[in-house]
Amino acid sequence: MFFLFIKMFLVITTVSAALMAGLFYAYSCSVNPGLGRLSDAGYMAAMQSINRAILNPVFFASFMGSVVLLPVSTWLQFRYGTEVGGWLFLAATVMYIIGVFGVTAVVNVPLNNALDKVSLQASPEELAGHRAAFEGRWNRYNTVRTVCAVLTVALAITGCLLAGW
């Protein structure tokens, strides 16, 4: 029964990370290209709205949940699973904490906060300048988050498969 609990914990951890990978992937392949087609004012309004809406318990459960679940899963693998499973979950943990959580905290959140202060009543030139300062950098770092989140999931899945039970 105990090992069933551990297996389920590893699965929940992996699903949590996969939800984040899917979110960032969806932005990379559909949301960002779609928003890119909007006028400067439309783009700024849409991103402000999205950035406000995403701050909700459902998002935070997976985003912050993975920060907690991955290290615990790593410990469980080293303690009760296999050494290789532990190393895979450790790599997944580092990938997520640095490449997803860290990039979000250091780059994307400050960009979102700066964008939130932009008045949509600004002149077209000002809106174009704000968009130019935001869009390319935000999208580049979202790609970093996407790649790191997908690698996190691949490592976690592999760690689950090599759990040794």
Side-chain angles (χ1 to χ4, degrees):
M1 188 67 165
F2 180 68
F3 288 113
L4 178 60
F5 166 78
I6 293 173
K7 286 181 186 181
M8 292 308 301
F9 194 89
L10 297 178
V11 168
I12 291 167
T13 299
T14 304
V15 168
S16 179
L19 288 169
M20 294 315 305
L23 174 77
F24 297 130
Y25 175 77
Y27 266 87
S28 291
C29 70
S30 64
V31 175
N32 291 338
L35 291 173
R37 295 178 179 160
L38 296 175
S39 68
D40 294 336
Y43 175 86
M44 300 299 278
M47 282 302 290
Q48 283 181 345
S49 180
I50 290 168
N51 289 337
R52 291 172 186 151
I54 202 165
L55 301 176
N56 66 70
V58 175
F59 168 75
F60 284 119
S62 293
F63 183 68
M64 296 303 294
S66 293
V67 171
V68 174
L69 296 171
L70 282 161
V72 173
S73 291
T74 300
W75 179 80
L76 288 170
Q77 276 285 46
F78 276 121
R79 179 81 167 95
Y80 300 106
T82 63
E83 186 174 348
V84 69
W87 287 112
L88 287 163
F89 266 91
L90 180 61
T93 300
V94 170
M95 182 70 61
Y96 188 88
I97 290 174
I98 294 172
V100 177
F101 181 80
V103 167
T104 300
V106 172
V107 179
N108 294 89
V109 168
L111 285 170
N112 292 346
N113 291 340
L115 177 75
D116 195 53
K117 294 176 183 160
V118 172
S119 169
L120 298 177
Q121 308 309 315
S123 71
E125 295 78 22
E126 289 176 297
L127 289 176
H130 288 299
R131 180 179 184 170
F134 176 86
E135 184 177 21
R137 187 162 188 234
W138 196 95
N139 289 347
R140 276 191 303 281
Y141 281 95
N142 186 68
T143 299
V144 170
R145 296 188 301 181
T146 302
V147 169
C148 290
V150 169
L151 289 173
T152 297
V153 174
L155 290 163
I157 288 171
T158 307
C160 286
L161 293 173
L162 299 177
W165 299 301

